[in-house]
Amino acid sequence: MKPQSALALFLCLSTAPSWAQTLPAIVNGELPGLVETYKGIHTHPELSHYEEHTSALLAGELRKAGYQVTDHIGKYPDGSQAYGVVAIMENGPGPRLLIRTDMDALPVIEETGVPYASQVKTKNAAGQDVGVMHACGHDIHITTMIGTAHALAALKKQWHGTVMLIGQPSEELVDGARAMLADHLYERFGTPDMVIGLHDTNTRAAGTVSVTSGPAMAGVTSVDVVLRGIGGHGARPQEGKDPIVMAAEFIVQLQTIVSRQENPRDPSVVTVGDIHGGTKRNIIPNEVKLELTTRTFTDPSMQIILDGIRRTAQGVALSAGVPADLAPTVTTLPNESAPPTYNDPALTAKVKSALVAALGKNNVFDEDPYMASEDFGIFGLEGHRIPTVLFWLGAIEPAKYAAAAAAGKLAPGMHTSRFQPDPELTLRTGVTSMTSVAISLLHK
Ligand SMILES: [Zn+2]
Ligand SMILES: [Zn+2]
């Protein structure tokens, strides 16, 4: 810990409840082991749906911490097994608190240059070598959960109720939370009264946290579009219907959905992230496939976008003279879609005051909503039946954060090859924050 953050922690603890004075010593004791665990997980990342070793490590650590652990929880729609972990600690009557971590990594070749960088490679669907990296920091989340599990066990006299720790697979494909619920998570292990999670971020310095009240992250709907035409010789376009030209028109026109059809007061995004068509420069292909991601904060807003995508696809095909039997196909992918993340305002207020008590008010910020998406909100069930809060954990070494900020920039962000959390301070703050929030919500 940097001297100034040690001082800040001391100052804020002087007005904190008694258990808060023993927490730093517990975290200090845990920290060297946690940093080693983090580095081990970071070196050995596993992609979504393949979190076998990561989930086994988490399950083993939570068992050692005294929790009742069940692993291999979750069923994907194709019937395959998910690597979800559930760890329960019962501590008398009281509320049931779910704390969630995700566990999966991303297909990114790591370029941080840290000694514990990932060396893992895998093949993508096209058979090319791709790297695997914890580029979203889920390794920080897993390790924070292990530290929190130990701290809550050590401070068992300070809280009552039941802690339900969840290791969720496949957050990056936003199908892991749903897979666990589909495997009767709540029927088997009890329905929580509250759901809490955290996510690291490059937009804040390590040692700080931030939280949004109300809509916090956008909902996502993944959409596949196939524009079908009639292929032929590249020199004789009059004999075919060129789907490449249609795709070009389609992509440009899509952007008018957000700018002309949505209410400007409803933030939304339509992005074409992937496009495939053609085999050779002088051949007009039969079709072009596009993969889209769309983001909004409300269901009506999402409906405007989906209707707009369908109309735009049909419109470009119609104007190109594509016959009706080759009309475009537009398919939404429910298993790669997720609702908005909604931070229950009443629970957010409690979480925030626990964070302020633990870290000092200068280290706790209010955050604007993000257009990025999560499947965390699924644990709150439809209609936000269970209150949920996801807060942000600053992850960038303070000096690096300040240097980037002085240049008007941010350090490299999540999903990039250079995203590099500061392990020690981020884990210290993560465990301190999550433990303090959990004890505050379950305090006797
Ligand atoms: Zn991510
Ligand atoms: Zn993430």
Side-chain angles (χ1 to χ4, degrees):
M1 176 178 272
K2 311 286 178 291
Q4 68 271 30
S5 41
L7 180 64
L9 204 53
F10 172 77
L11 289 174
C12 71
L13 289 179
S14 58
T15 55
S18 60
W19 57 265
Q21 295 174 23
T22 51
L23 181 56
I26 295 170
V27 178
N28 276 338
E30 293 284 332
L31 202 59
L34 290 177
V35 171
E36 282 314 300
T37 301
Y38 164 74
K39 290 179 177 173
I41 299 170
H42 189 84
T43 308
H44 300 102
E46 293 174 301
L47 289 174
S48 314
H49 287 218
Y50 296 93
E51 308 89 340
E52 182 178 3
H53 300 292
T54 310
S55 63
L57 182 147
L58 177 63
E61 290 294 326
L62 297 179
R63 260 183 213 113
K64 275 192 256 167
Y67 290 69
Q68 283 178 293
V69 178
T70 313
D71 49 27
H72 290 75
I73 308 284
K75 281 271 180 285
Y76 294 114
D78 67 359
S80 62
Q81 180 74 55
Y83 291 109
V85 176
V86 180
I88 306 276
M89 181 169 278
E90 289 176 338
N91 192 16
R96 176 174 287 264
L97 174 67
L98 188 160
I99 303 174
R100 174 269 212 168
T101 180
D102 35 22
M103 302 188 289
D104 50 333
L106 286 160
V108 172
I109 297 171
E110 179 160 358
E111 295 180 309
T112 59
V114 296
Y116 50 91
S118 165
Q119 306 294 331
V120 177
K121 291 218 168 25
T122 187
K123 300 254 185 235
N124 67 10
Q128 299 154 324
D129 276 335
V130 288
V132 182
M133 175 187 174
H134 268 297
C136 205
H138 297 182
D139 44 0
I140 288 281
H141 309 168
I142 298 164
T143 316
T144 296
M145 176 170 281
I146 294 167
T148 302
H150 282 280
L152 288 176
L155 292 167
K156 217 173 164 181
K157 288 204 176 85
Q158 306 300 325
W159 59 274
H160 67 141
T162 299
V163 169
M164 183 174 177
L165 304 177
I166 298 286
Q168 182 211 303
S170 197
E171 185 283 323
E172 296 294 353
L173 299 180
V174 295
D175 60 357
R178 211 177 266 117
M180 292 189 79
L181 289 175
D183 203 10
H184 307 292
L185 176 69
Y186 290 168
E187 293 84 351
R188 291 162 67 187
F189 300 98
T191 303
D193 300 299
M194 300 167 277
V195 178
I196 302 290
L198 56 73
H199 201 296
D200 58 7
T201 178
N202 69 313
T203 62
R204 297 283 174 193
T208 71
V209 296
S210 63
V211 64
T212 312
S213 188
M217 296 179 79
V220 53
T221 301
S222 297
V223 184
D224 283 353
V225 177
V226 183
L227 296 170
R228 298 184 291 173
I230 298 171
H233 198 293
R236 300 173 66 84
Q238 74 279 15
E239 293 172 5
K241 300 292 176 198
D242 188 345
I244 300 264
V245 174
M246 283 189 264
E249 290 174 347
F250 176 68
I251 291 165
V252 174
Q253 277 193 38
L254 277 185
Q255 295 310 320
T256 63
I257 300 172
V258 172
S259 66
R260 302 290 89 179
Q261 298 172 41
E262 283 281 12
N263 183 334
R265 294 170 62 85
D266 289 336
S268 51
V269 177
V270 178
T271 291
V272 179
D274 194 292
I275 167 166
H276 288 282
T279 53
K280 192 169 186 294
R281 72 180 75 239
N282 59 0
I283 298 173
I284 294 172
N286 282 323
E287 63 180 28
V288 173
K289 293 182 176 168
L290 303 102
E291 295 185 5
L292 284 63
T293 190
T294 66
R295 311 294 168 112
T296 67
F297 281 96
T298 66
D299 291 342
S301 182
M302 183 58 81
Q303 200 54 51
I304 290 171
I305 286 192
L306 298 178
D307 292 346
I309 292 170
R310 283 195 188 91
R311 273 201 311 274
T312 308
Q314 286 159 3
V316 296
L318 194 68
S319 69
V322 171
D325 62 334
L326 291 177
T329 60
V330 176
T331 313
T332 55
L333 309 174
N335 295 318
E336 294 182 38
S337 303
T341 301
Y342 181 77
N343 282 349
D344 178 78
L347 187 59
T348 304
K350 289 184 192 167
V351 167
K352 191 176 169 192
S353 74
L355 293 171
V356 167
L359 305 174
K361 68 176 182 342
N362 293 339
N363 293 316
V364 181
F365 298 94
D366 291 320
E367 197 66 73
D368 288 333
Y370 277 22
M371 294 312 294
S373 303
E374 258 279 350
D375 66 354
F376 171 77
I378 290 174
F379 288 112
L381 303 179
E382 270 194 30
H384 313 306
R385 266 183 283 158
I386 305 168
T388 61
V389 173
L390 184 81
F391 64 91
W392 296 101
L393 175 66
I396 305 300
E397 189 187 325
K400 269 192 202 164
Y401 182 85
K409 293 181 183 161
L410 287 170
M414 291 90 79
H415 290 213
T416 73
S417 58
R418 294 181 200 275
F419 176 56
Q420 189 188 334
D422 171 357
E424 184 169 310
L425 188 51
T426 308
L427 291 169
R428 179 188 292 281
T429 311
V431 175
T432 303
S433 300
M434 192 51 97
T435 306
S436 302
V437 166
I439 295 182
S440 300
L441 296 175
L442 300 175
H443 199 43
K444 281 185 174 171

